[in-house]
Each structure stands twice: as C-alpha cells, then as structure tokens.
Amino acid sequence: MCEKHDPLAAIIAAAMPQAAGPVAPRPPEQAAKQQVIKPVIHNVLNVLAKEAEAQASRRRRLWELSHACHCPLVGVGFPLGVLRKLVDKVTNGKVVADDYEVHVGAVTECGTRNRLSEALQKELERRYAGVLLRFRNAKSTEQVAELWRTAVNNGDVAGAFWAGLTHPRCTAELEEQMCRDLHMVQHQAGACVRADINKFNATLEDNKRLTHDLSKAQQRATALLAEKSAESERHAAQLMQLRAQVVGKDSMIDSLKIALEQLRRSIPGLESRARLAERLGQMEERERAMRNQINELKLELARAAEQQAAPVQEEARQVVEHVMKMPLRLSERSVLCVGGRNGNVASYRELIEREGAQFAHHDGGLEDNANRLEASLAAADLVICQTGCISHSAYWRVKDYCKRNGKRCVFIDNPSISSLARGLEQASAD
C-alpha cells in the first residue's frame, strides 16, 4: 500500500535539501586498511576487536531499516497530528494534503537520510526512550523476541516495534515476524474499534435518554425545593409570631407575679388571716354538721319507735363488731368524710367519735361551699371519700389533694355504715 510513490514525497524532497546525503558504506578492505594504519597504542589486535564490537552493537537508524518496515512503523509510531506537525515544521509551511498523502510521503522519505527522516528519528527516540532502555538489556535475539511477544500480549506495540527493529540483535527473520505480528494486531485493533464504535453509539443513546430523565428529575426537584422553601418560610414566620406571643405572655406573668407579691406585702398578717379563716370555716362546717346530726337523730329516734327493735339491735351489734375489729388508731385524730347520704352522717359521726376521733363532714359541694373543701382536707388527718355519693369534680379534687400532700384517703363505694367500717378496717390492715 505504501510502496507507491506519491506526489507529496516529491514535494517534500524538493522542499528540503539533503542533510548530508546518504552515507555510502565503506568497503571492508578500505575499512580494514584504515584500521591498520591507525597508530598502535598498546595492542593492535585489542583495538581492532573493540572497534568491531562497537560497530556490531550500534542500533540501526530509521533510514537503515528495510522499506517494508517504514509503513507500519510510521503508522503505529506517530499519531496523525504529530506526524503532520513534523512535516509542517520540516517544510516550513502547512501541508494541505490529506492524512493518507502525508503518511505516504513520510514513508517514502524514510528510505533515505534527510531532514524529515532525521526529525522522525529524533521524535521516535524521544517518545519511546523508556522502551528503548528496557530493550537495551537484551543481549540476544531470543531475548529481543521475548520482549516483543510480551509487548504484543500487553497490547503496547508501538514503542516495542521501534526498539525491536533498531536493536543490534534483531535478525531478518525476527524483523519479518514482528511485521507479521503487527499486521495481525492492526486487524484486531480495527475490529475492536468497530465494536467500540457500536458500543459508543449505544452509550450515546443511553446518555441522551438518561440526560432527558435527569432534566425531568431536576425540574421536579427544583419545584419541590421551591415548595419546601416557601413552606419553610411560612413556618418560620409562624414560629416568630408564636415566640413573640410567648414573650408577651411571659412578660405579663412576670408583671402579675410582681403585682401579687406587692399586694401580699401591702396586707400585714395575710397568711395568719388565711389560716384563721380556714379554721373558722372548718368550725362552722362542724357546727352545721352537728346540727344536721341532731336533726337526723331526732328523725331516726322517731322512726325507731315505729319499727321493730330487733333489726335495730342487729345493725348496732354488727357496727359494734366492726368497730371492735378495727385496728386503725383514730384517737385524737381528725377524720373528714366527703360525700355520703345525709341520713347516714349521724351514724358516721357516732362510729368515728366512738374511737376518740373528731368527725367532720363535707357533702362535696352539693349544699356546702365547694371552695371550703380544700381547707377541710388540710385540717383532716384521715379522709373518707364516699365515691358512690359524690360529684366527679369533688372526687378528683379529693384524690389530687391527697396525692399531692401524701394524706391518707379511704375510698368507699357503698354509703352504708358497715361499708364505712369495712373500709376503715381495710385501711388499717394496709
């Protein structure tokens, strides 16, 4: 393919003068004659042996290779851009020929020593200096061939092709084998390039589709981000408003606390008065309860005269039995009964006061003042809560107060006297 001479080669040859002209090899007789007439330093035979060894170890130049090696060497050794730059530099201008013509012209000029072949030689030496250093350690043709096969297996043949062809131990047989191997490598590389092109085109289609999907996803993400930003700003504004309201309420609470403290300081003896008022309310409540008890006793006495004596005695006997069984010590203690039936209050009082305790009653706010319930709870040592005959509000107030202050409380479901006795008996057992 590259043996046909192209007009570009003539253009390049005319544009650049020969550097030094081809160097004609010296005849062996003349070389030997010149070697013989050299001045003898120590030993003429040693000098002649060293010169022959140096001549045999010299690497070949580009123009000294066979013409069949120039085409593959230029093809794999130089990228097209680098080759065109070297041709432009040698011709002092810009070559307008296409890539094939530049390649053919360069291959033709490699057959002789000229400015272009010397420039190509220098570029090959510079570009593949590392590979040349590795091939320099080869001392035989077999070692050179082994290095070349390793490069082919590794897929890096450009530098190894140049280093192997120019090696002093490269024979004609090895040179031909290297050209054959490189020819097959180029075929395989072409097939790989075609496969890579198909994969590349498929990758381009996938990339186009993925780019389209990415654009849609970015648009959705931008819309969501804008929505979240607006929502975040709205929440931040609401948070600022709530913080302002909290600060205002805290300020109001502080001002009310200061006003309350000032009011307390302005009234001397406020705590003593509050305690006395509490005590007075308890005394009034007890007095009213005693009056109610007297009235109920009168009614009970009238009813008892009409009823049979046996049931009354049986009930009294059961009450006494419960009282006798009660281990709870109520002596000199204040017992508050909250709720219950008004008709049983007198019996409650008799049962409690028989144990030496003081009895107080509060109906849970039905008739008695609900605000005095807490004062009555504070004055009592034991609280009896009739859960079956009390309002929900009073029940929760009693339960909460006893829990907060650690005061003992007995809850009774049935408002009868026997239930009260059993509840006190259970409380004493606990």
Side-chain angles (χ1 to χ4, degrees), residues 225-241:
L225 182 60
E227 182 180 354
K228 294 298 182 182
S229 298
E231 185 177 357
S232 177
E233 292 178 357
R234 184 170 63 256
H235 288 168
Q238 294 177 357
L239 181 61
M240 291 296 294
Q241 293 178 359

Side-chain angles (χ1 to χ4, degrees), residues 78 117-127 162:
F78 298 97
S117 60
E118 289 181 351
L120 297 177
Q121 167 79 21
K122 184 183 297 184
E123 178 63 21
L124 288 171
E125 293 290 314
R126 184 195 64 81
R127 182 178 291 270
W162 166 248

Side-chain angles (χ1 to χ4, degrees), residues 180-197:
R180 290 180 179 182
D181 294 341
L182 183 62
H183 183 78
M184 297 308 299
V185 168
Q186 288 177 335
H187 280 300
Q188 294 175 2
C192 293
V193 167
R194 287 191 296 271
D196 291 340
I197 289 175

Side-chain angles (χ1 to χ4, degrees), residues 64-201:
E64 295 175 355
L65 300 176
S66 62
H67 184 66
C69 301
H70 291 157
C71 179
L73 181 59
V74 173
V76 300
F78 298 97
L80 288 174
V82 175
L83 182 61
R84 185 175 287 275
K85 287 182 179 180
L86 289 174
V87 174
D88 291 341
K89 182 178 180 181
V90 170
T91 57
N92 296 324
K94 186 173 183 180
V95 178
V96 295
D98 57 14
D99 294 338
Y100 175 76
E101 293 174 346
V102 172
H103 173 77
V104 172
V107 170
T108 303
E109 295 302 320
C110 288
T112 59
R113 183 174 183 178
N114 50 62
R115 291 179 60 190
L116 181 58
S117 60
E118 289 181 351
L120 297 177
Q121 167 79 21
K122 184 183 297 184
E123 178 63 21
L124 288 171
E125 293 290 314
R126 184 195 64 81
R127 182 178 291 270
Y128 303 112
V131 184
L132 292 173
L133 185 62
R134 188 169 66 248
F135 271 74
R136 184 180 298 175
N137 297 326
K139 303 301 181 182
S140 63
T141 303
E142 290 74 13
Q143 293 180 357
V144 175
E146 182 64 26
L147 290 174
W148 165 250
R149 285 192 293 269
T150 303
V152 171
N153 294 331
N154 295 334
D156 185 14
V157 297
F161 191 65
W162 166 248
L165 289 177
T166 59
H167 197 277
R169 299 294 182 268
C170 181
T171 61
E173 291 78 7
L174 179 57
E175 179 180 320
E176 183 180 359
Q177 185 62 41
M178 291 174 64
C179 291
R180 290 180 179 182
D181 294 341
L182 183 62
H183 183 78
M184 297 308 299
V185 168
Q186 288 177 335
H187 280 300
Q188 294 175 2
C192 293
V193 167
R194 287 191 296 271
D196 291 340
I197 289 175
N198 294 332
K199 292 181 181 179
F200 179 73
N201 292 331

Side-chain angles (χ1 to χ4, degrees), residues 248-275:
K249 290 182 179 180
D250 291 341
S251 301
M252 183 179 296
I253 291 173
D254 293 338
S255 61
L256 290 176
K257 286 181 178 179
I258 294 173
L260 179 62
E261 187 65 25
Q262 292 177 354
L263 183 61
R264 286 177 177 175
R265 291 177 180 176
S266 63
I267 301 175
L270 179 61
E271 295 182 0
S272 301
R273 293 182 183 182
R275 288 195 298 270

